[in-house]
Amino acid sequence: VLIFTIMLCWCSRVSVGSLAAAAVLPIAVWKFVQSEVITGCAVIIAVFIYSRHKDNIRRLLSGTEPKIWNNEQ
């Protein structure tokens, strides 16, 4: 939740927060649980999240992903 919130505030895009949190998930699970099985499940979940966000990733790379709020005035 912390990574999601930081990235959301920094980039103003929900998808960036979601992708960042998904990337950190397996690392955090390993650090706190240190179970290969549970960490493997976290990796599978992270891969699933990235596969579900493929359209968002394309929009982020092309610069067309909308922001949730506009910081420019």
Side-chain angles (χ1 to χ4, degrees):
V1 173
L2 180 62
I3 296 295
F4 173 84
T5 304
I6 289 169
M7 295 306 292
L8 174 64
C9 292
W10 185 48
C11 296
S12 301
R13 291 177 173 91
V14 173
S15 58
V16 172
S18 299
L19 293 168
V24 172
L25 177 66
I27 298 164
V29 168
W30 177 254
K31 179 168 176 51
F32 291 107
V33 180
Q34 295 185 352
S35 165
E36 292 176 5
V37 174
I38 296 175
T39 302
C41 291
V43 169
I44 292 168
I45 291 168
V47 169
F48 177 73
I49 290 169
Y50 268 79
S51 70
R52 296 289 295 169
H53 278 80
K54 63 184 174 189
D55 293 334
N56 299 72
I57 294 168
R58 284 189 195 112
R59 287 192 299 269
L60 285 167
L61 292 172
S62 69
T64 59
E65 179 75 0
K67 292 183 176 185
I68 61 167
W69 57 76
N70 189 357
N71 292 334
E72 300 170 6
Q73 298 190 12

